[in-house]
Amino acid sequence: MRSRRSGEQMVFTRMGDWPMDKCGTSSLFEEMDSRLRGNDSGGDLRLRGNDSGGDLRLGGDGSEAGGGHIIRVAFESAADTEFDYLAADEIWPIQVGQRVEVPFGRKNKLQIGFCVGSGSRGPDPSTLLRSAQDGRTPVRSAQDDRTPLRSAHVPRASGGDDKRRGFKLKMVSKVIDERPLVDGGLMELARWISGYYVCPLGQVLAAMVPGAVKKGAGVRTQRYVYLCDGADEAIGQLKGKKQKEIAALLRERKAISPESSLELQELIDSVGCGAEPVKRLAEQGIVRMGRRTVFSALPAIPKGMAIEAKEVVLNEDQEKALGEIRERIDSSAFGVTLLHGVTDSGKTELYIRAIQAVLDRGKKAIVLLPEIALTAQTVQRFSARFTRIAVMHSGLTAAQRNAQWQKIKAGEADVVIGARSAVFSPVSELGLIVVDEEHEPSYKQDTAPRYNGRDVAIKRAQLANAHCVLGSATPSLETLANCREKKHFYVARLPRRVMDLPMPEMRLVDMRGVSVTGKGVNLISEPLGERLREALGRGEQAILLLNRRGYSNFVFCPSCKHTLHCRNCDVTLTFHKSKAVGSGRMQTVTGRHIGSGYAMCHYCLAQTLVPEKCPVCGKGMAMIGLGSQRLEEELAAKLPDARVARIDSDSMAGKDYYRVLSAFGEGQIDVLAGTQMLAKGLHFPNVTLVGIISADTSLYLPDFRANERTFQLISQVAGRAGRSAKKGTVFVQTFLPNQPAIQFALAGDFEGFVQEELKHRKACNLPPFWRLASIVMRDMKFERLEAACKAMRGRIDGIVNGGGLNAVVRGPMPAVISRVQRFHRMQIIVQAPEAGTMQRLFGELRAAGPIRPAVKIAIDIDPVNLL
Ligand code: ADP
Ligand code: ZN
């Protein structure tokens, strides 16, 4: 992009066809941003590191420095501060959203940062940057208490406090981008994210623009040639053989304008000469040459498997829902519609119609899908209806990603489809954002900025006066609460499946009765094993789902089936490994306890020691983990002839994933075992059996959303299975057959589940009633970590008590995963009834000095889990 010259045009070339194995995406890695940051510092926030002060240099009074232009720069490094720099006339103007290279720190190391404020010296220096913002993205001042950024301490050109006077600003060394990468609207969104999710602005901006774009992946300069107007006579008089051939070829190909021109290389290759004859033609005014920047990449939209755009007549429910959505779109005011419709109720069809309505009004749309749902099939469905479409997901190469982004930026895409980070696509004239499967936890980014793509979508729609459609068969409790309480939120329902497919037979298997081997519980129950053999015997296929997260251990008595329960809540306790408890055994008045950890309630966060012996029958307690290797072993023993493949996101690159899926589709694999990610792709007609190995796995997650996740998983499998004439059966294995989440899911009773779940949430001050924030701190040294956590807790208490804030603070306590990669992890959890309280608390926390001793701090606002 840097190499683009003014006046040159931009084109998007296509090279070859889309290879099949690139049609989809892998689920684990998301865009470039997490990789860019390097692995360890992981985007953690060091609250006001002390190394940033070195940016100031003693010198004159600043006013004598060359040029009168000042910009404010936000760096990708974790410094939660913005810095001012002077810009020379030669590189002026520098716009907000462009990147610059500037000297930073005592050693003046060159660093790249985003320009986030820009202005020229005016009569009143204090308004300087403010006025330069084209009114859209004001640089907030220190007095604005909603802005925890340290911009107040940034030296201004003059003005500022006495101590700062006399400091001289450093000069910008160069401007990197010719045009802003981030426009005014996105800058405003970045500031909101920076404030709301407690993340330095520079980091937010870095995450907004794909790494491929920043690196200019796949960009090259192309030289092109075309015939000048009225050159016919001159051509007739040409002597040189090659020159004649070139002119003839250009004429034959009708290359008479930059748009219809031929690439120089292609031209001289076909004629078989060097560039010399072309140059001579140019000198004679017969041809004209130019340069343009091209983003060369394979097309991002799969070809060769095009599907026909089916002519669909909407049913009554769909018509009604579309009418409501269209009305809101036509009002050109911000609004959110929850499209609550069961699987196969025609939601996607409605998204397409709503997008069409927006395009008809000359506006554009963004569609967010969970990464794993971004398969070729889904993308094809949209590209069959819309031609000017761009896709953004992690399955693209860097060059493809850059090409797609440039296409969007150039206004050549009306519809952008992508994963979480596509919410940052540089779309102008935004009219609609669709968030499909809005309840999906994968919309939450787990490195800084820890944003939720759905919530950012809503905010972006609000800033753009656009409409936002959230679709789901099992909406999140937060969204349901918003629909009840907030204006601008509406609900539309699609209660029926479009085609009257029979629901699969649902069979509950009570695992409390299954046998326990030396390795723990058998993962495949008798009834499931039997049905597996039957199905494979008939040449049919099966899918087994297992959430293999190793830490989801639960405590269980194999002898009397007793599980540990919470004293305050009706939930089972989860085992947490922890060093904090001490090592070895522990003797208390109630007997011996396991010393390597404790059991915890994920609702009220009560902790208890785990008895070695079962309190009911006195036999030894067991910790049960359900790993996928265990499942493979068992399958091999029980079905020695079956061809089994395992898919899990941790162990598989995107390519392998699609290879296995297609092998399964072709019948080369009998049993596919894998994690929840498989639940999304269940449309293999020959699959007649789906086994959820443990529907409880997510119930045992130490998280208050465990019930919700369990309900969602079972509903999803139920909705997906049974997609052909062969009737399907779903086996739901559980140790907790009476758990409401499982009962409601088997009955398909969403309303019942919601009512039940809300009772617990309300009683424990959890979302959607209260807001939640999690602070995870980590360090190699436990003592150091403990001290830092105490300091953090003390500071939070100071803010809460000092401001009389209504907030509950818990911890520091060992995090659920208390040690990762030799880092000890501790957690502080904050609960507050109002989002505003949370914002104020973290704003003040951010503005206060650094926490000592310095450790890694990760702040997660609205966490989707508390791990
Ligand atoms: P969802 O997104 O809710 O799972 P889809 O929009 O994917 O549902 O619809 C499921 C299937 O039904 C698709 O193949 C779609 O083309 C088809 N379909 C949707 N609406 C209609 C309709 N009104 N009449 C016939 N087929 C429809
Ligand atoms: Zn409890």
Side-chain angles (χ1 to χ4, degrees), residues 593-763:
H593 293 85
I594 293 167
S596 55
Y598 57 91
M600 184 179 180
C601 167
H602 54 246
Y603 277 97
C604 70
L605 305 173
Q607 301 174 9
T608 173
L609 290 172
V610 178
E612 277 189 0
K613 304 275 185 235
C614 172
V616 178
C617 74
K619 300 260 170 61
M621 295 290 274
M623 228 81 69
I624 292 174
L626 306 166
S628 56
Q629 285 95 347
R630 279 274 326 278
L631 179 62
E632 268 187 325
E633 264 176 42
E634 233 183 277
L635 278 171
K638 287 184 173 157
L639 300 162
D641 300 330
R643 293 164 300 174
V644 178
R646 194 177 100 211
I647 280 196
D648 47 54
S649 45
D650 328 4
S651 71
M652 219 164 238
K655 252 187 192 164
D656 297 333
Y657 171 65
Y658 286 100
R659 202 164 29 235
V660 172
L661 277 192
S662 74
F664 188 59
E666 288 161 14
Q668 294 158 20
I669 294 169
D670 302 312
V671 181
L672 197 54
T675 52
Q676 198 165 339
M677 62 193 285
L678 277 180
K680 307 227 189 259
L682 302 183
H683 32 243
F684 300 100
N686 197 35
V687 171
T688 56
L689 176 60
V690 179
I692 304 179
I693 295 300
S694 172
D696 321 329
T697 323
S698 46
L699 275 178
Y700 287 111
L701 283 180
D703 194 275
F704 66 93
R705 286 195 180 85
N707 287 330
E708 204 178 347
R709 301 276 174 261
T710 302
F711 185 91
Q712 287 161 356
L713 171 67
I714 299 175
S715 310
Q716 190 165 40
V717 173
R720 286 288 167 195
R723 292 199 142 200
S724 74
K726 291 179 195 161
K727 193 161 171 11
T729 310
V730 176
F731 276 76
V732 180
Q733 300 192 147
T734 174
F735 284 97
L736 304 164
N738 300 319
Q739 272 286 318
I742 291 181
Q743 289 292 337
F744 284 120
L746 278 164
D749 183 0
F750 182 69
E751 291 307 321
F753 167 72
V754 168
Q755 291 319 316
E756 171 75 18
E757 183 63 16
L758 285 178
K759 272 191 275 176
H760 291 287
R761 301 280 184 94
K762 186 158 191 146

Side-chain angles (χ1 to χ4, degrees), residues 218-541:
V219 170
R220 75 195 165 89
T221 304
Q222 189 186 67
R223 302 186 71 186
Y224 60 88
V225 187
Y226 61 94
L227 281 177
C228 297
D229 239 9
D232 288 359
E233 198 178 318
I235 292 172
Q237 291 164 6
L238 279 174
K239 298 261 155 32
K241 181 166 168 270
K242 293 293 173 195
Q243 292 185 30
K244 275 196 232 167
E245 279 181 48
I246 289 167
L249 187 65
L250 287 171
R251 194 184 270 161
E252 183 193 318
R253 300 272 190 91
K254 299 198 171 59
I256 50 166
S257 67
E259 291 72 38
S260 59
S261 62
L262 293 190
E263 194 185 342
L264 175 65
Q265 195 59 47
E266 186 193 335
L267 181 67
I268 59 184
D269 282 354
S270 13
V271 174
C273 63
E276 207 42 50
V278 186
K279 278 187 195 142
R280 247 170 289 132
L281 286 170
E283 281 157 17
Q284 298 165 59
I286 294 172
V287 304
R288 200 159 287 156
M289 295 168 73
R291 276 173 206 275
R292 63 188 158 205
T293 305
V294 291
F295 300 93
S296 48
L298 292 165
I301 296 175
K303 291 279 166 219
M305 49 188 315
I307 48 166
E308 287 293 304
K310 268 194 295 182
E311 207 32 70
V312 170
V313 182
L314 296 189
N315 64 31
E316 218 173 287
D317 293 329
Q318 284 172 315
E319 278 296 353
K320 182 163 173 285
L322 180 63
E324 289 164 8
I325 293 170
R326 195 182 275 146
E327 211 169 279
R328 285 162 210 151
I329 286 171
D330 288 345
S331 76
S332 291
F334 163 65
V336 180
T337 301
L338 166 64
L339 185 58
H340 183 182
V342 297
T343 324
D344 272 330
S345 59
K347 293 188 293 295
T348 310
E349 198 57 48
L350 268 198
Y351 303 152
I352 288 169
R353 305 293 178 112
I355 293 167
Q356 191 56 57
V358 162
L359 300 196
D360 291 345
R361 300 178 60 84
K363 299 216 171 163
K364 296 177 178 155
I366 297 175
V367 181
L368 300 187
L369 297 163
E371 181 80 58
I372 189 64
L374 268 163
T375 56
Q377 266 180 332
T378 325
V379 173
Q380 270 304 321
R381 245 179 110 179
F382 284 89
S383 63
R385 306 290 186 96
F386 306 106
T387 44
R388 288 163 40 100
I389 189 170
V391 298
M392 295 292 273
H393 60 74
S394 65
L396 303 181
T397 64
Q400 284 174 323
R401 227 187 326 258
N402 189 19
Q404 294 294 306
W405 192 92
Q406 300 295 346
K407 186 169 157 183
I408 301 166
K409 183 86 178 159
E412 293 175 20
D414 297 330
V415 183
V416 178
I417 300 183
R420 176 176 60 208
S421 64
V423 74
F424 301 129
S425 301
V427 174
S428 55
E429 297 298 313
L430 187 64
L432 176 71
I433 308 183
V434 174
V435 185
D436 191 27
E437 311 282 2
E438 67 87 26
H439 62 274
E440 267 290 314
S442 63
Y443 279 122
K444 179 84 176 189
Q445 168 140 315
D446 59 5
T447 54
R450 294 181 173 76
Y451 66 93
N452 186 316
R454 172 201 59 207
D455 298 330
V456 171
I458 294 172
K459 186 68 193 178
R460 185 162 183 197
Q462 188 194 17
L463 292 174
N465 283 322
H467 196 68
C468 183
V469 172
L470 308 178
S472 176
T474 50
S476 63
L477 298 185
E478 286 80 355
T479 296
L480 290 172
N482 283 338
C483 290
R484 266 198 315 275
E485 289 154 20
K486 294 200 172 146
K487 56 174 191 177
H488 307 304
F489 275 75
Y490 313 89
V491 189
R493 287 198 172 79
L494 299 177
R496 278 173 288 269
R497 280 180 149 189
V498 174
M499 288 154 296
D500 234 355
L501 288 169
M503 292 298 270
E505 180 197 354
M506 303 291 287
R507 297 242 337 235
L508 191 81
V509 181
D510 184 348
M511 291 294 276
R512 289 174 307 181
V514 307
S515 54
V516 180
T517 68
K519 283 182 180 154
V521 177
N522 266 318
L523 295 180
I524 300 170
S525 64
E526 269 310 307
L528 175 58
E530 211 167 283
R531 187 61 74 92
L532 255 177
R533 271 184 291 270
E534 274 172 37
L536 299 196
R538 283 197 301 266
E540 296 165 358
Q541 292 168 295

Side-chain angles (χ1 to χ4, degrees), residues 147-160:
T147 311
L149 291 170
R150 218 178 84 185
S151 40
H153 306 285
V154 168
R156 298 278 166 88
S158 47

Side-chain angles (χ1 to χ4, degrees), residues 30-38 76 203 206-211 214 420-421 424 445 447-449 451:
E30 165 76 10
E31 314 300 313
M32 286 295 298
D33 37 46
S34 53
R35 260 177 286 165
L36 268 179
R37 246 180 257 119
E76 187 172 341
Q203 266 187 358
M208 269 185 164
V209 183
K214 285 179 274 195
R420 176 176 60 208
S421 64
F424 301 129
Q445 168 140 315
T447 54
Y451 66 93

Side-chain angles (χ1 to χ4, degrees), residues 572-589:
T572 46
L573 299 179
T574 306
F575 184 71
H576 294 222
K577 275 210 171 93
S578 169
K579 184 178 177 274
V581 181
S583 53
R585 296 162 165 180
M586 284 208 290
Q587 181 74 46
T588 71
V589 285

